[in-house]
Each structure stands twice: as structure tokens, then as C-alpha cells.
């Protein structure tokens, strides 16, 4: 399995930007896709963005055009660049690694968008 550590959350004003990082360690060769999820208070966890081992990316409709997922293979790190943040983006953001035989989660990082 892999271990995941997120960082980069914080408090930002509407319209601002943040970049989340997810550092992976362990059996990273087995990962099929890396995902960012988020969970707002009282809501279900939702998939925000995916990057596959082949580099294909996808986004939830609510973040298309504002968020960008990327990776640095040399650093075993996946990023989520979040621009033009809105109050409704406030949530705990979780990094997820999906492989054939397991599904690993990070501890989460809080993102709060408020004036």
C-alpha cells in the first residue's frame, strides 16, 4: 500500500488561490489513479479531480476551469491548484490513491474560503 500526506490547506478569501500537495510513499508503482476528494460539513464526500497513471485528468463540473490537478513523478507528489475559490469550496480535502488491491487515504487538509 501507499502512505499519503496532504498539505497546503488554509483560510483564503473568495477569489483567492491555494495549492494542495499530496506526497506518496510506499508501493507507488501499483497506483492506477490519484484522486482528490472533499467533504463539507453535513455533506457526503465527493470526487473533485482524478489523474490516472497515464496522465489523463478529469474534474467535477463544479470545479472545471478553476482547479488543475498535476503530478511530479520525481517527487511522488500530486498537486491540486485551486483558483478563483468560492465559499462553497470550503471542505476538508482528501488525497486518495487507488490501486487494484487497495484504496489509500490521506488524513485530510482543511480549506476554508471566507471573507
Amino acid at each position: 500500500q501507499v502512505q499519503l500526506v496532504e498539505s497546503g490547506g488554509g483560510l483564503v478569501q473568495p477569489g483567492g488561490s491555494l495549492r494542495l500537495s499530496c506526497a506518496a510513499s510506499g508501493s507507488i508503482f501499483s497506483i492506477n489513479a490519484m484522486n482528490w476528494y472533499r467533504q463539507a460539513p453535513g455533506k457526503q464526500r465527493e470526487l473533485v479531480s482524478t489523474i490516472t497513471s497515464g496522465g489523463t485528468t478529469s474534474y467535477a463540473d463544479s470545479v472545471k476551469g478553476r482547479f488543475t490537478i498535476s503530478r511530479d513523478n520525481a517527487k511522488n507528489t500530486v498537486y491540486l491548484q485551486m483558483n478563483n475559490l468560492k465559499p462553497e469550496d470550503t471542505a476538508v480535502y482528501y488525497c486518495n490513491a487507488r490501486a487494484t488491491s487497495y484504496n489509500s487515504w490521506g488524513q485530510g487538509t482543511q480549506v476554508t474560503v471566507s471573507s
Side-chain angles (χ1 to χ4, degrees), residues 8-115:
L11 173 65
V12 64
Q13 292 186 342
S17 297
L18 283 174
R19 188 177 78 158
L20 305 183
S21 299
C22 173
S25 59
S27 302
I28 58 175
F29 60 88
S30 62
I31 297 173
N32 295 324
M34 294 290 294
N35 308 291
W36 284 100
Y37 284 79
R38 66 185 181 187
Q39 188 167 19
K43 295 189 176 181
Q44 289 189 329
R45 191 172 295 190
E46 64 171 344
L47 178 62
V48 175
S49 184
T50 297
I51 186 165
T52 68
S53 57
T56 301
T57 60
S58 60
Y59 301 91
D61 287 343
S62 58
V63 306
K64 277 182 183 175
R66 299 188 298 121
F67 290 12
T68 303
I69 192 169
S70 63
R71 67 185 182 195
D72 185 331
N73 291 332
K75 296 182 178 180
N76 295 331
T77 300
V78 173
Y79 303 98
L80 186 67
Q81 177 67 42
M82 305 185 295
N83 298 328
N84 190 22
L85 283 160
K86 304 176 180 180
E88 51 264 41
D89 295 317
T90 295
V92 178
Y93 283 71
Y94 296 91
C95 182
N96 164 262
R98 187 155 298 165
T100 302
S101 59
Y102 66 84
N103 204 15
S104 293
W105 293 90
Q107 81 285 356
T109 185
Q110 177 70 47
V111 171
T112 302
V113 185
S114 175
S115 56

